[in-house]
Amino acid sequence: MNFASDNWAGASPRVLDALRRAAEGIAPAYGQDETTQALARRLSTLFEREVAVFLTPTGTATNALALAALCPPNGAVLAHEEAHVIADEYGAPEFFGQGTRLIGMPGVGGKIDIAAIEAAFDRLPAAGSRQPTPAALTLTQASECGGVYSVPEVQALAAAAKARGLAVHMDGARFANAVAALKCTPAEITWKAGVDALSFGGTKNGALMAEAVVFFDPALARDFDWRRRRGGHVVSKARLISAQFLALLEDGHWLDLARHANAMAARLAEGLRTAGHRIPWPTQANEVFPVLPRPLIARLQAAGAAFYEWPTQSLAPEDAPEEDEALVRLVTSFATTPAEVERFLDAAA
């Protein structure tokens, strides 16, 4: 019963088959191969405009390098206070940004709301001051608390940021889950809503190690290849990453995998509510956050369930756990089976 992380899952059989085929024979290195060129064309089609695409093997590198391209060293990036770039990336955005400051924004359920952004602009230093001034906004899609920014929400946040000269980045480690949940096009939730750059995640959605930075205005990527090389994240056999993405995108496979993960999360949430457990945040993607009694948590883990307790800072005060309770995170993946879900629900009933 693995509900610890979608990173624990392996890879889609389609991806593995594509990787094996791509590894045969020889091909030019450093992105000059036909597979990588085909991926660039495919992503331009997917996003309905010409895009600049840069592959990396890790999500941390993807986020950190993208933000470094959008924010100068004397600038600041606004992010939710529980965003992965702040809480889980060991200062990589500041490191690759050569001094860029990250500023955490509050928001229930891991999502920044428009009021928080407006309040931040009122209190943060203006250009020309002696402190880093905001230069970029990053939105996590889906959020660290399982929520999804709707198209109107992204539009409003991006408009507020751009009215003050900020670039907009989207951390899409679970982008597929968000698109599947919203039933929108990738273009509608990114550049058409005001996003300048996307960290497009494949690793959590059926790939082995496949991430990409997508710039919707190629001019913003003018020095990105230099940044990526200097940071040590150029993969010489780029075709092995490109082949994974192409396999995911073929026939909408990436969305099929995400829909399955989302459906497994929805079933978990439904079953836990039926059993009387409360779930403070809506389950919109592939993460469920129930509040469970600590004795039950111990029994579930003893029965073989893998999951983590979770910080409560994004909870509304009325949703805070009691002394003998804890907020936990359950993550489903493309590989989660209905049998796993039902075993967990039986144990939690």
Side-chain angles (χ1 to χ4, degrees):
M1 294 181 287
N2 168 42
F3 301 109
S5 174
D6 34 13
N7 283 324
W8 286 29
S12 159
R14 283 201 201 182
V15 169
L16 292 175
D17 288 344
L19 186 60
R20 177 187 54 77
R21 293 192 300 271
E24 295 173 352
I26 59 172
Y30 299 106
Q32 301 306 306
D33 59 282
E34 175 53 31
T35 304
T36 300
Q37 301 304 311
L39 176 60
R41 295 191 296 269
R42 180 69 183 85
L43 288 174
S44 291
T45 299
L46 180 72
F47 287 104
E48 305 172 35
R49 67 178 297 162
E50 181 186 356
V51 297
V53 181
F54 298 87
L55 303 174
T56 77
T58 74
T60 294
T62 303
N63 283 335
L65 290 167
L67 290 174
L70 298 176
C71 184
N74 64 330
V77 175
L78 304 184
H80 190 275
E81 60 192 359
E82 288 191 76
H84 206 271
V85 294
I86 288 182
D88 296 284
E89 295 185 349
Y90 298 92
E94 291 102 331
F95 176 78
F96 282 100
Q98 299 177 315
T100 297
R101 178 178 295 178
L102 296 180
I103 299 176
M105 300 282 102
V108 173
K111 292 168 58 179
I112 302 171
D113 61 37
I114 194 69
I117 287 289
E118 296 292 351
F121 286 131
D122 289 341
R123 76 173 187 272
L124 290 173
S129 70
R130 298 180 182 182
Q131 298 181 41
T133 56
L137 167 68
T138 180
L139 305 173
T140 308
Q141 182 76 307
S143 83
E144 297 295 334
C145 300
V148 172
Y149 287 99
S150 68
V151 172
E153 285 175 325
V154 175
Q155 290 172 333
L157 290 164
K162 293 197 165 188
R164 293 163 178 82
L166 276 69
V168 180
H169 166 259
M170 180 172 282
D171 176 358
R174 296 185 175 95
F175 184 66
N177 302 95
V179 172
L182 291 167
K183 299 181 174 64
C184 67
T185 68
E188 287 170 335
I189 197 60
T190 54
W191 66 270
K192 288 185 177 181
V195 175
D196 297 299
L198 167 71
S199 294
F200 191 172
T203 304
K204 295 181 187 296
N205 191 43
L208 291 175
M209 289 177 286
E211 308 287 323
V213 180
V214 180
F215 288 96
F216 300 107
D217 177 1
L220 293 173
R222 56 189 174 274
D223 65 351
F224 191 84
D225 192 52
W226 170 83
R227 292 181 183 278
R228 186 175 55 157
R229 289 177 183 276
R230 189 168 184 259
H233 284 282
V234 172
V235 176
S236 61
K237 298 179 183 179
R239 69 186 190 272
L240 301 183
I241 296 179
S242 300
Q244 295 180 66
F245 267 118
L246 285 173
L248 286 175
L249 295 172
E250 186 178 5
D251 299 325
H253 185 49
W254 68 299
L255 293 178
D256 289 339
L257 296 176
R259 289 187 193 103
H260 173 80
N262 291 359
M264 294 296 96
R267 172 62 188 130
L268 264 179
E270 175 193 29
L272 288 168
R273 286 196 182 95
T274 299
H277 303 296
R278 71 184 192 276
I279 302 175
W281 302 315
T283 301
Q284 295 178 297
N286 66 318
E287 297 174 283
V288 187
F289 291 83
V291 175
L292 300 178
R294 290 193 177 277
L296 175 58
I297 291 171
R299 288 200 302 273
L300 288 166
Q301 291 174 332
F307 56 89
Y308 294 112
E309 292 191 21
W310 205 250
T312 60
Q313 64 197 72
S314 284
L315 285 176
E318 62 270 20
D319 292 324
E322 301 293 339
E323 186 175 347
D324 62 341
E325 297 177 325
L327 179 71
V328 305
R329 185 187 75 163
L330 308 173
V331 188
T332 56
S333 76
F334 73 93
T336 302
T337 66
E340 280 182 278
V341 172
E342 297 308 320
R343 283 201 304 275
F344 185 91
L345 293 176
D346 287 343

